[in-house]
Amino acid sequence: MSEQAGFALEQFRLDGKVAIVTGAGGRGNSIGRAYALGLANAGAAVVVADLNGEGAQRVADEIIAAGGKAIGVQVDITRPESVAAMVAATTQAFGGVDILVNNAALMAELGSLQAASIPIADWNRIFNVNLTGALICTQAVVPEMRKRGGGKIVNQTSGGAYPAQSVYGISKLALVGLTTTLARQLGREKINVNAIAPGNTTSDAGRQLTPDDSPFIKFLEASVAMRVRGAPDELVGSLLLLCSPAGDWITGQVLHVDGGWVLRP
Ligand SMILES: NC(=O)c1ccc[n+]([C@@H]2O[C@H](COP(=O)([O-])OP(=O)(O)OC[C@H]3O[C@@H](n4cnc5c(N)ncnc54)[C@H](O)[C@@H]3O)[C@@H](O)[C@H]2O)c1
């Protein structure tokens, strides 16, 4: 963007862009679904990718029914060959890749595993999905982004990365490390790499992990500045900022969307 261009709301539009959202085909009310619908609303063609192929197709059909462009793809982000097939399906359908949202993760199913006693096989499984999966997807899309002269990558971390209370949180803190390192290494190629750290979100998985009457919600109610729970749709504006030309000069950042839970100087 030139210094003389001025600002226009159209800078948030994504017409002609192609976006992959992983973990977007899960349970009914998921953050990935909100992300996929939001990107499509802004004009992007969206690849809805999930381990759950049927769910991915369902969300893609929702986008198409609303007049948008989408395909559903079954993918296991821990398997490079499966991710390569997802990227091939994307380029075949839409001609390239501009945006990757690394949203797939293991969360609600993890419960409260203790770092001091977690079986190493479980530790490896969590890191394989929550950290290595994001890296595998990134490695697969970067060559495609280079062909387009740049791109945007958004990693879905969590406010839970900072209170340091769970193995899940450790995996999300590691994802912040991956975000900042990739941002430094890819910046000159006009590939922005940022992260969103949601607070307690009312997705089906979020409600399963921390029901309203859980001790963790009570703990948060005593400290969160504004409001503990947010809806998946309340994350979408931040995603659009980080995926659109409006965010061209933002890289290596963690955007906390959590009503004032994690307050860092
Ligand atoms: N809900 C919350 O309160 C909250 C808060 C902070 C961060 N997050 C993060 O937001 C993201 C979405 O959360 P959600 O609440 O919508 O949960 P969700 O369980 O509905 O979404 C996760 C999706 O990832 C998919 N997935 C898991 N393993 C996969 C694999 N190997 N390959 C491809 N897909 C795979 C699942 O099928 C599922 O659809 C996650 O990264 C989560 O850690 C959620």
Side-chain angles (χ1 to χ4, degrees):
M1 184 148 317
S2 86
E3 285 181 28
Q4 287 79 31
F7 175 77
L9 259 186
E10 286 66 35
Q11 286 167 23
F12 285 95
R13 293 288 313 171
L14 296 173
D15 303 285
K17 302 290 184 193
V18 179
I20 298 174
V21 186
T22 66
R27 308 157 208 236
N29 180 22
S30 74
I31 296 172
R33 172 180 169 274
Y35 280 171
L37 294 176
L39 291 165
N41 244 322
V46 178
V47 175
V48 182
D50 204 289
L51 199 53
N52 176 352
E54 269 178 35
Q57 192 56 52
R58 202 168 45 241
V59 174
D61 288 344
E62 248 185 282
I63 292 172
I64 293 163
K69 291 196 195 99
I71 57 169
V73 174
Q74 199 276 336
V75 68
D76 180 348
I77 60 165
T78 67
R79 292 178 43 232
E81 64 281 12
S82 176
V83 171
M86 170 185 77
V87 173
T90 305
T91 56
Q92 197 185 352
F94 301 124
V97 186
D98 303 291
I99 295 162
L100 169 67
V101 185
N102 281 314
N103 169 74
L106 300 177
M107 183 187 72
E109 48 276 85
L110 299 181
S112 53
L113 294 161
Q114 302 296 304
S117 56
I118 184 174
I120 293 306
D122 288 342
W123 172 275
N124 286 340
R125 185 172 56 90
I126 295 166
F127 275 77
N128 257 341
V129 179
N130 293 9
L131 180 66
T132 312
L135 179 63
I136 291 170
C137 292
T138 299
Q139 289 183 343
V141 302
V142 162
E144 296 300 326
M145 289 180 173
R146 287 188 174 126
K147 288 182 202 162
R148 311 268 267 200
K152 312 274 191 201
I153 298 171
V154 178
N155 294 325
Q156 180 83 339
T157 178
S158 169
Y162 297 93
Q165 284 170 347
S166 61
V167 174
Y168 164 77
I170 303 171
S171 73
K172 291 296 189 178
L173 190 53
L175 189 58
V176 172
L178 181 65
T179 302
T180 51
T181 297
L182 286 170
R184 202 175 288 290
Q185 294 177 350
L186 296 172
R188 292 297 160 99
E189 299 186 86
K190 295 192 178 140
I191 298 175
N192 306 55
V193 189
N194 289 292
I196 294 178
N200 232 275
T201 309
T202 57
S203 64
D204 292 354
R207 283 197 180 280
Q208 180 190 329
L209 184 67
T210 47
D212 287 341
D213 57 356
S214 60
F216 189 55
I217 292 292
K218 299 282 172 239
F219 164 76
L220 290 179
E221 276 166 358
S223 56
V224 171
M226 188 172 272
R227 154 163 69 86
V228 171
R229 295 249 203 220
D233 282 343
E234 292 185 271
L235 302 168
V236 174
S238 299
L239 180 74
L240 294 184
L241 168 64
L242 298 178
C243 291
S244 67
D248 272 354
W249 204 34
I250 305 172
T251 201
Q253 303 305 307
V254 181
L255 187 42
H256 291 267
V257 190
D258 64 3
W261 169 25
V262 181
L263 300 176
R264 299 194 305 162

